[in-house]
Amino acid sequence: MEKPKVLIVGSGVAGAVRHLPFFKSHPEVTLAGMIDPDLARARRVADENGIPGAYPSLEEGLRQSGARIVSICTPPQTHKDLTIYAFEHGADVLLE
């Protein structure tokens, strides 16, 4: 059985320092990508951690990665829209 894929939305402290190490060390999931409007930052974090994808938006990340778990690590004012979008597209959500 294929491991569930995880996208981390936000490559700042919450995403890259708190959530990424947990998911990276968890044997039952695969990190599929980092998402950040600052695509260069998302790519840097992904490259440094052996994560295959970096995306500028949740829409693109879900479409391209096939991930079904979304870890939202963005500023609070963005949580509602990102969570609703993820739910509407069949993802499970962990909200920081």
Side-chain angles (χ1 to χ4, degrees):
M1 181 168 70
E2 186 178 0
K3 295 179 189 179
K5 295 179 183 176
V6 177
L7 289 170
I8 297 176
V9 185
S11 56
V13 172
V17 176
R18 294 186 186 136
H19 288 228
L20 188 150
F22 169 77
F23 286 117
K24 191 174 177 180
S25 69
H26 198 292
E28 295 182 14
V29 299
T30 299
L31 273 168
M34 294 298 297
I35 297 172
D36 200 298
D38 181 346
L39 186 55
R41 183 176 179 166
R43 281 189 179 133
R44 186 184 77 250
V45 171
D47 290 345
E48 289 172 356
N49 290 279
I51 300 168
Y55 310 99
S57 67
L58 178 57
E59 295 84 352
E60 189 172 330
L62 285 172
R63 185 175 64 249
Q64 291 189 25
S65 73
R68 288 290 136 228
I69 300 171
V70 175
S71 181
I72 298 176
C73 305
T74 58
Q77 64 271 23
T78 66
H79 290 179
K80 178 183 172 187
D81 291 341
L82 290 168
T83 300
I84 290 170
Y85 186 88
F87 283 152
E88 288 177 343
H89 289 83
D92 293 318
V93 174
L94 174 63
L95 186 58
E96 169 69 26

